[in-house]
Amino acid sequence: MMKKQVIRRAALFGLMSLAMMLGLCAFAPTTTQAYSPVAALDRQQFLVKSLLAAPANAPLAAVTGPTQSHDPANPGSDVYAYSSYSVNTYNIWHMQGLALYPTAVTYLVPTGTVPTGGFPVIAVSPGKFLDSTSNYDQLLRHFTLKGYITLFIDTDTGIVDCQHSRMAGEFLDGIKKTINNKLSGKASNPPKVAWWGHSMGAKVEALAARMTTNSAYIAPTAIIANNFSNNNGGVCSDDAIAGANTIPASIWYTLIKGDNDTVAGSDPQNLYNAIPQVTHRQLITVVSYTDINLNADHYAPMTNYNILVGGTLDALDWWLYWKVAVGAFNYHFKGGSDIWAYGSQRTNGGIDSSGRQILHQVS
């Protein structure tokens, strides 16, 4: 699954990301609070400036920056609890009309001692046309080496398939069957599960969240929806926004959109508005930085180049999308702090060489 050239590029971009430290994934404060950032502001400035000092067209190997020391309060760093993992893929067969078709589930399991109580589980639902693990391989690797069993569940049967409610049911089915049949003795018991979705996959998860009131399924503790795209019209008639008020209020829901996302449009905002019953919800807008070539577009969470739509691994992945996700999941499952993910406790990311605060906006 992990191509050598992707890993090499990830390592190079990882060096660039280390230079960002807390910079590019800081939160814009929504309330006044007295929290002091883990890193001193002058160190943040130094780390951010070390990246900005590199020319935009510099070879990636030239963008080095200082290495990061171990910081247990910084869940988006490249400090990993595990050094390797196993990868397995199998099919769950479903009937559609008179035909059988597969839902492919790839599961990554950290190699090493299983923690007391088992590993928590992150289920990933990919975007349309992006249902190959290669498009998210470094994200899956990052989650797994942080100490999570990571499931990649492909419910899309082809180009014309937009039966999203059916996909939602199969997504839930894939989670339960994989935990019960493939991960005995490794996955946490009772299951500790969170979801990460992108584009159409975020829509599938929104539809699936409604179904978790059925005790036959495993409900997530938290959902992180990146660039949620409702994509209605034509034969894609399943609406994840209408009826979203039936999503259980207990699920912690984070919606993330990019300020240059021309695909999803207002969908993330509309879903955010449609779930007032959710006790803990937030909408994060990722801010692009054109002067250092960080583009928060629809494909920003992808961690591999896709010839059809683009998408690259860059500092926004390491220091925003990944940091928010791991911070949220650690908070629920590993006793972490909510400073990186939830609530009114926000920090800014320091100041760049032009005196500008590096922020993203939180509703």
Side-chain angles (χ1 to χ4, degrees):
M1 181 185 70
M2 309 303 175
K3 298 181 176 62
K4 290 183 179 178
Q5 66 269 26
V6 174
I7 294 174
R8 284 196 296 267
R9 188 183 67 242
L12 295 175
F13 271 112
L15 291 174
M16 180 181 77
S17 71
L18 295 178
M20 293 304 293
M21 186 57 177
L22 299 174
L24 288 169
C25 75
F27 293 95
T30 54
T31 61
T32 301
Q33 35 81 28
Y35 177 83
S36 297
V38 172
L41 183 58
D42 57 350
R43 184 162 183 259
Q44 292 181 24
Q45 291 173 325
F46 171 70
L47 293 169
V48 172
K49 287 179 181 179
S50 67
L51 174 66
L52 296 177
N57 60 351
L60 297 180
V63 184
T64 56
T67 57
Q68 180 181 318
S69 60
H70 179 61
D71 180 1
N74 179 4
S77 74
D78 66 340
V79 178
Y80 294 114
Y82 294 83
S83 59
S84 62
Y85 54 90
S86 63
V87 183
N88 294 277
T89 298
Y90 79 108
N91 290 327
I92 299 174
W93 292 91
H94 297 93
M95 181 72 73
Q96 186 175 21
L98 298 177
L100 278 174
Y101 65 95
T103 294
V105 180
T106 299
Y107 56 98
L108 294 76
V109 183
T111 302
T113 303
V114 178
T116 302
F119 291 109
V121 175
I122 299 173
V124 173
S125 183
K128 187 69 175 178
F129 307 122
L130 306 175
D131 51 340
S132 167
T133 54
S134 64
N135 289 318
Y136 302 91
D137 54 4
Q138 294 301 313
L139 171 82
L140 304 177
R141 175 183 183 276
H142 185 69
F143 285 165
T144 307
L145 295 183
K146 284 290 185 179
Y148 292 90
I149 291 175
T150 309
L151 313 183
F152 184 90
I153 303 177
D154 178 12
T155 59
D156 191 2
T157 63
I159 294 175
V160 298
D161 185 3
C162 53
Q163 297 178 348
H164 298 138
S165 292
R166 188 211 82 240
M167 294 180 193
E170 292 170 7
F171 176 75
L172 291 167
D173 189 47
I175 294 171
K176 185 170 184 179
K177 287 183 176 177
T178 304
I179 289 175
N180 289 345
N181 301 333
K182 302 292 184 180
L183 298 172
S184 177
K186 296 181 179 179
S188 52
N189 186 17
K192 298 177 180 179
V193 179
W195 299 350
W196 188 99
H198 175 220
S199 190
M200 181 199 74
K203 175 184 179 177
V204 168
E205 291 182 344
L207 292 167
R210 306 182 196 180
M211 303 178 186
T212 58
T213 54
N214 185 333
S215 59
Y217 298 124
I218 299 172
T221 298
I223 298 174
I224 295 182
N226 299 271
N227 306 80
F228 164 84
S229 180
N230 202 36
N231 195 26
N232 289 313
V235 294
C236 295
S237 57
D238 294 343
D239 191 344
I241 294 175
N245 60 346
T246 62
I247 292 174
S250 59
I251 297 174
W252 293 51
Y253 220 113
T254 297
L255 288 141
I256 304 177
K257 67 174 183 176
D259 63 354
N260 280 340
D261 186 351
T262 59
V263 176
S266 61
D267 285 346
Q269 180 71 60
N270 292 337
L271 179 58
Y272 175 82
N273 294 340
I275 54 172
Q277 78 283 0
V278 174
T279 306
H280 295 92
R281 62 178 175 136
Q282 64 179 341
L283 174 63
I284 296 173
T285 302
V286 183
V287 179
S288 299
Y289 292 92
T290 56
D291 56 336
I292 51 176
N293 196 31
L294 294 177
N295 185 19
D297 64 5
H298 188 70
Y299 305 102
M302 293 171 56
T303 58
N304 189 26
Y305 179 77
N306 181 289
I307 195 169
L308 295 177
V309 298
T312 56
L313 178 69
D314 61 26
L316 284 181
D317 293 302
W318 287 89
W319 297 107
L320 200 150
Y321 293 100
W322 296 5
K323 184 172 184 179
V324 169
V326 175
F329 301 150
N330 280 358
Y331 173 71
H332 289 291
F333 304 131
K334 297 187 175 185
S337 170
D338 68 353
I339 188 65
W340 306 113
Y342 297 120
S344 60
Q345 297 183 66
R346 304 294 182 196
T347 64
N348 70 65
I351 300 173
D352 71 13
S353 57
S354 65
R356 172 189 60 186
Q357 275 194 328
I358 295 179
L359 304 169
H360 66 268
Q361 302 158 0
V362 182
S363 297

